[in-house]
Amino acid sequence: MTETKSQRISINIAEFAIAKHSEIIETQSLGSCVGVALYDRTTKMGGLAHIMLPDSKKVMVGGKPGKYADVAIKLMVDKLQEAGVNKMNLTAKIAGGACMFSGAGISDFMNIGLRNVNAIKQILSEMKIPLVAEDCGANHGRTVEFNLDSGKMTVKSSMASTKEI
Amino acid sequence: MNHEFSAIELDAIQEICNIASGNAAGALSQVLNKRINMKVPEIKIVPVELATEIMGESGAIVAGVYSRLIGDFNGGLLLTFPREDVILLVDKLVGSPSKTHTLSELDVSAISEVGNIICASFVGAISKIINKTVFISVPKLAFDMLGAIVDFILIELAENAEQALIMKIQFEDVPKTISGHFFILPNPGSLEMLLNSIKCRH
């Protein structure tokens, strides 16, 4: 069997993708957006979503379904189940949710990064998907690579050093 | 509401922005104690999703100065400069060439202040031309990936805004040409208000 180079899938803001063993999903420049990775260790399948806002029910306008935490996570789980993943095997890792302009007068209510992270944690716990690792908050952007081979998420930042979670 | 802008409308906006940038250049000249010319060579109105793409590489490190606009014109205003250009500008401001890649507290404060001067004089000029009241909030500075900075602003305002006004701006002889972007995200109605005010003048 010949070793093939892992295939890269790039997702943009408000998008998500599912992938299998030997593939890598990446998304660039998460600010207050959050990257949510779901992974099934037994089948080495999983998905990554670039989520923008916490709740689809609070907004009137439409847009891509991947924009909202509640819709995106559920859709991703559905797609993974269609592909043969048992929901009970899923674990989650999240990164992002920064407050890019910290300091002057941004209240917790305005801190959408924090609201995103909280909403995602709540949704994951309601869906009984354990959150195994996170790199959230602070005031710097992040670029995320999710390796479906190892289930590891590499988090690069302009400020902090590269992390593997 | 989506609105297709005609070439004449875009020309009118560009004209106003050129006048406003002249104002901003004047303010910057005073700070640097040197004649600075500022140009707006390009102006575009695009759907908000395409904003990052037009301003550069999503992962590129930029300095972004962000303010909210409040009053007759509502929305957000972001001024960005690429990393290398902002370092040049800071060297000029603080007077010592920075040997490291990190910015000191003084550098950061100098960038914020310059951003503040440029944004406030720009917005001030526009509000005078269209004869409307526009207030500008104290600007905040971020030094990070372009995509992450724009995302943050889109999220803060995107529930309302659909179109963004993007201007390329150039400062000449600082000592070389420094180029950055103005990114204006108007709330619905504000862009139409701006255009109507322009039409009334003609």
Side-chain angles (χ1 to χ4, degrees):
Chain A
M1 205 178 90
T2 49
E3 193 77 24
T4 49
K5 205 170 165 274
S6 23
Q7 211 158 1
R8 273 175 185 275
I9 303 166
S10 270
I11 57 164
N12 292 320
I13 183 165
E15 290 179 353
F16 73 91
I18 65 165
K20 54 185 191 303
H21 166 59
S22 90
E23 291 180 322
I24 289 173
I25 318 177
E26 61 175 11
T27 192
Q28 273 205 327
S29 315
L30 294 155
S32 38
C33 292
V34 182
V36 178
L38 298 178
Y39 189 59
D40 170 14
R41 191 163 297 281
T42 55
T43 57
K44 296 200 171 179
M45 290 176 76
L48 180 71
H50 185 140
I51 288 166
M52 218 174 142
L53 291 163
D55 193 353
S56 66
K57 295 184 263 318
K58 286 187 186 142
V59 269
M60 311 300 274
V61 289
K64 293 181 186 173
K67 202 163 164 182
Y68 309 102
D70 52 343
V71 186
I73 296 175
K74 199 177 170 301
L75 267 178
M76 198 153 59
V77 172
D78 287 350
K79 291 263 183 230
L80 285 168
Q81 280 179 314
E82 275 170 35
V85 167
N86 184 346
K87 192 180 153 199
M88 304 293 285
N89 291 335
L90 286 175
T91 54
K93 291 181 181 180
I94 61 174
C99 185
M100 300 301 296
F101 298 86
S102 56
I106 292 190
S107 64
D108 274 2
F109 177 72
M110 282 305 293
N111 186 342
I112 197 86
L114 184 70
R115 280 170 57 198
N116 273 337
V117 171
N118 289 342
I120 287 162
K121 284 182 178 168
Q122 166 106 37
I123 291 159
L124 289 173
S125 98
E126 278 165 13
M127 296 179 84
K128 301 199 166 50
I129 299 171
L131 178 66
V132 292
E134 64 174 297
D135 177 35
C136 295
N139 61 349
H140 55 79
R142 294 167 173 90
T143 285
V144 165
E145 263 182 36
F146 180 43
N147 187 326
L148 275 297
D149 223 6
S150 59
K152 289 255 196 299
M153 192 146 113
T154 310
V155 185
K156 291 177 194 158
S157 139
S158 56
M159 307 278 174
S161 53
T162 299
K163 279 182 202 162
E164 209 170 66
I165 61 169
Chain B
M1 208 175 67
N2 264 334
H3 173 86
E4 285 294 322
F5 290 92
S6 67
I8 297 170
E9 287 174 326
L10 271 179
D11 267 2
I13 295 180
Q14 180 153 17
E15 185 52 33
I16 285 194
C17 292
N18 266 320
I19 299 169
S21 66
N23 227 44
L28 193 63
S29 304
Q30 282 183 353
V31 177
L32 297 180
N33 200 16
K34 182 179 186 304
R35 178 103 200 97
I36 304 281
N37 284 319
M38 186 173 157
K39 278 187 185 161
V40 183
E42 217 179 290
I43 184 161
K44 279 184 178 147
I45 295 176
V46 297
V48 290
E49 309 87 73
L50 301 177
T52 307
E53 221 170 284
I54 288 171
M55 293 167 74
E57 273 282 312
S58 164
I61 304 295
V62 301
V65 179
Y66 173 58
S67 302
R68 288 291 289 265
L69 302 176
I70 309 141
D72 292 330
F73 188 99
N74 276 287
L77 171 70
L78 174 75
L79 172 67
T80 63
F81 287 109
R83 181 199 178 104
E84 311 76 54
D85 287 13
V86 88
I87 286 172
L88 262 178
L89 192 59
V90 158
D91 288 351
K92 196 75 199 164
L93 278 170
V94 183
S96 61
S98 38
K99 289 168 190 73
T100 56
H101 288 298
T102 52
L103 296 172
S104 70
E105 215 170 295
L106 180 66
D107 296 340
V108 168
S109 144
I111 298 169
S112 301
E113 198 42 44
V114 142
N116 191 7
I117 290 163
I118 296 172
C119 292
S121 49
F122 187 84
V123 170
I126 287 187
S127 79
K128 215 178 261 172
I129 296 168
I130 64 174
N131 200 19
K132 299 275 177 190
T133 314
V134 188
F135 296 108
I136 182 165
S137 74
V138 176
K140 302 185 187 87
L141 176 79
F143 200 59
D144 213 302
M145 302 170 198
L146 173 66
I149 293 178
V150 173
D151 277 9
F152 177 90
I153 295 164
L154 285 184
I155 291 172
E156 207 183 73
L157 299 168
E159 290 176 20
N160 296 317
E162 281 164 0
Q163 287 179 303
L165 188 66
I166 297 171
M167 272 172 266
K168 191 172 177 182
I169 51 166
Q170 282 178 339
F171 293 100
E172 286 165 347
D173 312 317
V174 192
K176 65 159 213 166
T177 301
I178 287 178
S179 40
H181 283 95
F182 257 132
F183 167 62
I184 301 175
L185 204 59
N187 282 357
S190 286
L191 206 52
E192 285 75 10
M193 191 278 295
L194 179 66
L195 279 170
N196 288 334
S197 316
I198 298 165
K199 280 183 197 144
C200 292
R201 280 164 41 87
H202 289 293

